[in-house]
Amino acid sequence: DWANRTGLLPAEIQTGFDPDAAITRQDMAAVLGAFLLTYRPDYPVVHVQAAQFADQSSIAGYAAEGVAVCYRAGVMSGSGGRFYPLNTATRAEAAATLTQAARILSML
């Protein structure tokens, strides 16, 4: 509810949002990217070059900026040159992503 009220959930994932369902990598990036842009707009840049994922065209338009922000900030990356946007995030990926987000937020 808080993320929705503050505008962190893209409209494309607000309808039918189920907090108990698995989350795709692109949806996780969309929300975390929006969070970073809102609460840490001067986030430290880890990757200066834009990501060039082989599956870039599979990333939904609403998630593209979030994926780019998470990549630049070093919060999320891909594997083997791919982002795998429609894969559900594993517990290990979620833990690594949240650890990297905490790194950035501790710089406040």
Side-chain angles (χ1 to χ4, degrees), residues 18 29 32 35 39 49 68 77 101:
D18 180 359
L32 284 173
F35 183 88
Y39 294 99
Q49 299 281 19
S77 61

Side-chain angles (χ1 to χ4, degrees), residues 5-17:
R5 284 192 316 272
T6 57
L8 298 178
L9 289 181
E12 292 83 354
I13 62 175
Q14 287 177 13
T15 305
F17 183 77

Side-chain angles (χ1 to χ4, degrees), residues 72-93:
R72 280 194 309 268
V75 173
M76 292 180 79
S77 61
S79 175
R82 300 177 68 83
F83 187 75
Y84 300 100
L86 299 177
N87 285 12
T88 55
T90 65
R91 289 180 186 204
E93 289 169 335

Side-chain angles (χ1 to χ4, degrees), residues 28 89-99:
M28 187 165 64
T90 65
R91 289 180 186 204
E93 289 169 335
T97 298
L98 293 175
T99 298

Side-chain angles (χ1 to χ4, degrees), residues 33-88:
F35 183 88
L36 287 177
L37 289 173
T38 300
Y39 294 99
R40 183 74 166 139
D42 60 341
Y43 62 88
V45 174
V46 172
H47 298 109
V48 178
Q49 299 281 19
Q52 297 296 319
F53 298 114
D55 55 358
Q56 190 83 26
S57 64
S58 297
I59 298 170
Y62 71 85
E65 183 178 32
V67 170
V69 168
C70 287
Y71 177 77
R72 280 194 309 268
V75 173
M76 292 180 79
S77 61
S79 175
R82 300 177 68 83
F83 187 75
Y84 300 100
L86 299 177
N87 285 12
T88 55

